[in-house]
Amino acid sequence: MSRTYYLTTPIYYVNDVPHIGHAYTTLAADVLARYKRLKGFEVFFLTGTDEHGQKVEKAANAAGETPLELADRVVKRFQALWEKLDISYMDFIRTTQERHKKGVAHLFTKVLEKGDIYLGEYEDWYCTPCETFWTETQLIDFKCPDCNRPTEKLKEESYFFRMSKYQAALLAHIEAHPDFIQPKSKRNEILSFVKEGLRDLSVSRTSFRWGIPVPGDDRHIIYVWFDALTNYITALGYPDEGGDFGKFWPVDVHLIGKDILRFHSVYWPTFLMAAGLPLPKKVFAHGWWTVEGQKMSKSLQNVVEPNMLIDKYGVDAVRYFLLREVPFGLDGDFSHAALVHRINSDLANDLGNLLNRSTAMINKYFEGLVQEPGETTEIDRAYRARTEEMVRQVDAHMDELAFSKALQAIWEVVSAGNKYIDETAPWALAKDSAQKTRLATVMYHMLESQRIVYLLLSSFMPKTAAKGLSYLGFEGIPSEEGLAWGGLQAGTRVMKAEPLFPRVEAEGE
Ligand code: MSP
């Protein structure tokens, strides 16, 4: 039976155009999806758009469009960006699709019939941009504790989800599954939140119309988070519990930003418990990007637009930078200087030079043909051991979604490669015909280590990896077997590489 792996990104609101924060979650998911495929998993990788709710309704009114016209327009921007960023998603769900609306109505009815959704009255402080009700004690100067914008007191008839009923069960689940919420610091935050007590949750609104009506009572629109979270199962065909749902649920990991952790690790699991469905195996919350030290915001006009970055620096440089610069799970700062530095030092210098030097040498000394290696020396064996160790390290780091550590482990071997060349000095060996076999052995180690490096890089930088592998004469599809030392065959033709990453002049230089 094939091993399956299901992973998701949040579904993005269509009232905003994509920026680097959105690109970040999606990119991390793509790297993980590609890595799991390399390891032989059957992967289902889902992304999509969150198209209902008051925010979208308001944005559409402001733009003089219907909400669906707005969504149709903005969804194209997301899809075009994902193509440009080489995102290998399998399905793109839009919450306005019939398949989704049907599944949400079904879930709502199921929980209602069970008695875990009831009709009541709601009065509290509401933050419209966040679509969240707050108690007075949670407010800070009567402003939303999340976004610091003004809140208003709202009273309305509402359906409630009996979230309080699931407090103990959720707590027990979090405690019994240390990996359920990651990273650990975030898990602790959620644990204390749940311990403080869960209130029943208002799951319908009467204050706007743009959404999925409550089945049998269309004065009410289903709360946008109840609607949105359910995408993770409607995309699998829920309420049909066979098919993809049977195959891929429970999800292996929901990748999200830290701001939406509570929805994913408290609301969503309790909805699922009420519906008698298994809980996600893992919810991982990454940190937020600031830009040149400041919060990214429209009013500061400092929103980093991924399309522009890709046009300027190339897709793989952007992919590399975002995952290398900041440990996944922590906040980070985006700056052009840091990006340019990474391109010049890690990509052009370390990675690109190694490939250029070694492919040039094999062409100069052996007409581009890989030779059978001869007897090895300590230095060859150490280099090989280092390469093999990297494969294990990357696997362990990817398991923990520690993308930057995985890249670091790969770069240690790239540096070891440059050092290996300096120490073995092939140009000196080439001068002595008695050293021909020694030279062949050195060339073999240099190229074989890089073949494995590029196979691992195929998850992070697919285009660069494909180029690197083709210079190295690799044919076929990257696979787990290919990660073993010795895959490079004598007789393989290696081509002299063009620079993979031209150096970039820093702005102002
Ligand atoms: N629609 C909801 C998610 C519903 S999932 C069932 C939503 N959408 S969003 O478009 O506002 O945000 C999507 C993601 O972008 C979130 O994970 C959020 O953390 C991420 N980011 C938004 N700004 C960000 C940064 N500045 N930095 C990193 N990620 C950020 O929330």
Side-chain angles (χ1 to χ4, degrees):
M1 218 180 79
S2 81
R3 296 175 299 166
T4 59
Y5 196 85
Y6 177 33
L7 77 169
T8 66
T9 73
I11 49 172
Y12 302 103
Y13 285 129
V14 288
N15 59 329
D16 201 359
V17 294
H19 59 60
I20 193 182
H22 306 125
Y24 185 52
T25 327
T26 310
L27 175 58
D30 183 63
V31 170
L32 192 56
R34 287 175 186 272
Y35 185 72
K36 290 293 171 184
R37 283 189 206 112
L38 178 76
K39 298 287 288 181
F41 284 81
E42 187 182 348
V43 172
F44 195 101
F45 169 16
L46 177 69
T47 189
T49 39
D50 191 351
E51 304 188 357
H52 289 137
Q54 195 167 12
K55 269 201 268 195
V56 176
E57 192 178 80
K58 278 190 176 165
N61 286 342
E65 292 171 303
T66 66
L68 194 57
E69 280 165 353
L70 172 92
D72 284 343
R73 183 166 56 78
V74 178
V75 79
K76 290 199 192 96
R77 306 261 310 247
F78 277 97
Q79 288 170 336
L81 176 62
W82 300 155
E83 195 172 329
K84 199 159 166 170
L85 204 54
D86 273 337
I87 304 300
S88 61
Y89 61 83
M90 309 274 302
D91 194 359
F92 190 103
I93 188 151
R94 301 180 56 181
T95 53
T96 46
Q97 287 167 337
E98 270 322 305
R99 60 171 176 162
H100 175 73
K101 293 194 270 188
K102 189 179 90 184
V104 172
H106 182 93
L107 183 71
F108 196 96
T109 308
K110 188 164 173 178
V111 181
L112 185 88
E113 282 171 356
K114 191 178 172 191
D116 282 348
I117 288 180
Y118 60 91
L119 191 59
E121 198 168 66
Y122 200 89
E123 183 169 23
D124 230 329
W125 296 91
Y126 190 65
C127 172
T128 305
C130 295
E131 318 233 26
T132 308
F133 272 106
W134 299 101
T135 59
E136 199 155 315
T137 52
Q138 288 172 318
L139 298 180
I140 301 170
D141 290 337
F142 286 91
K143 289 191 180 138
C144 170
D146 268 359
C147 73
N148 199 30
R149 279 178 278 209
T151 53
E152 48 183 336
K153 193 135 199 194
L154 277 190
K155 182 174 184 175
E156 57 180 43
E157 187 190 76
S158 171
Y159 284 88
F160 283 87
F161 168 60
R162 236 179 264 288
M163 196 156 73
S164 55
K165 179 177 157 186
Y166 293 95
Q167 180 191 349
L170 180 62
L171 201 57
H173 185 87
I174 300 174
E175 276 169 350
H177 299 85
D179 288 345
F180 174 50
I181 303 170
Q182 286 187 21
K184 209 170 172 180
S185 57
K186 297 283 174 260
R187 174 178 187 262
N188 293 338
E189 278 173 26
I190 295 294
L191 265 176
S192 20
F193 175 78
V194 178
K195 280 182 187 155
E196 271 172 32
L198 296 182
R199 294 194 304 161
D200 287 354
L201 180 73
S202 161
V203 286
S204 77
R205 300 282 184 269
T206 50
S207 49
F208 63 92
R209 296 304 307 154
W210 180 238
I212 305 173
V214 165
D217 186 356
D218 62 12
R219 295 167 306 144
H220 287 262
I221 297 297
I222 294 177
Y223 174 46
V224 69
W225 276 99
F226 189 97
D227 169 344
L229 288 160
T230 309
N231 91 87
Y232 299 131
I233 55 175
T234 55
L236 297 179
Y238 179 86
D240 173 5
E241 293 193 17
D244 280 342
F245 184 87
K247 191 165 170 186
F248 290 104
W249 192 259
V251 67
D252 289 276
V253 62
H254 289 313
L255 290 175
I256 55 166
K258 63 179 183 179
D259 53 318
I260 55 175
L261 180 60
R262 191 181 301 165
F263 300 102
H264 283 79
S265 61
V266 179
Y267 295 8
W268 179 227
T270 53
F271 297 163
L272 289 165
M273 281 178 180
L277 296 172
L279 304 197
K281 290 186 208 157
K282 192 185 291 183
V283 178
F284 194 108
H286 65 67
W288 267 47
W289 285 91
T290 49
V291 175
E292 315 274 353
Q294 279 186 311
K295 198 174 168 192
M296 206 172 10
S297 84
K298 273 188 199 158
S299 52
L300 289 175
Q301 297 192 321
N302 66 345
V303 175
V304 179
E305 219 279 286
N307 280 294
M308 248 169 47
L309 279 189
I310 298 171
D311 290 342
K312 192 160 174 191
Y313 301 108
V315 58
D316 281 351
V318 174
R319 288 177 64 112
Y320 175 75
F321 175 79
L322 289 178
L323 291 182
R324 175 65 186 85
E325 187 69 3
V326 178
F328 201 60
L330 299 185
D331 292 339
D333 185 50
F334 177 90
S335 79
H336 286 273
L339 173 54
V340 168
H341 179 73
R342 288 273 176 208
I343 294 176
N344 289 342
S345 125
D346 301 6
L347 300 179
N349 249 359
D350 300 345
L351 185 73
N353 269 351
L354 179 59
L355 188 71
N356 287 346
R357 294 167 89 188
S358 43
T359 57
M361 283 191 242
I362 185 118
N363 275 280
K364 188 162 171 200
Y365 306 140
F366 294 107
E367 284 154 2
L369 292 178
V370 175
Q371 308 292 303
E372 202 69 60
E375 229 171 82
T376 55
T377 64
E378 187 49 39
I379 188 172
D380 311 326
R381 290 191 290 274
Y383 183 32
R384 169 178 172 168
R386 195 63 209 73
T387 306
E388 289 173 329
E389 175 65 10
M390 160 189 72
V391 174
R392 287 188 292 273
Q393 285 175 336
V394 167
D395 200 47
H397 294 320
M398 292 302 277
D399 232 26
E400 293 179 348
L401 277 69
F403 301 105
S404 65
K405 281 193 187 158
L407 285 169
Q408 217 172 318
I410 298 174
W411 254 258
E412 277 167 22
V413 168
V414 171
S415 302
N418 279 315
K419 198 158 156 241
Y420 178 79
I421 297 187
D422 296 343
E423 287 176 358
T424 52
W427 48 90
L429 298 174
K431 287 190 188 133
D432 178 358
S433 58
Q435 296 283 4
K436 193 108 190 161
T437 315
R438 176 72 199 130
L439 181 61
T441 308
V442 167
M443 291 284 120
Y444 186 89
H445 280 72
M446 228 165 56
L447 297 165
E448 175 59 342
S449 174
Q450 286 183 79
R451 187 186 62 81
I452 298 173
V453 159
Y454 282 97
L455 280 181
L456 290 175
L457 283 182
S458 64
S459 310
F460 292 90
M461 301 195 283
K463 286 205 171 82
T464 303
K467 263 197 222 163
L469 286 169
S470 97
Y471 285 129
L472 293 170
F474 178 86
E475 284 165 0
I477 301 164
S479 71
E480 183 163 27
E481 294 76 64
L483 295 173
W485 185 275
L488 182 64
Q489 301 299 316
T492 302
R493 178 169 294 281
V494 171
M495 275 168 11
K496 198 164 176 280
E498 298 291 320
L500 290 177
F501 293 93
R503 287 182 66 84
V504 182
E505 291 301 316
E507 258 155 45
E509 270 183 16

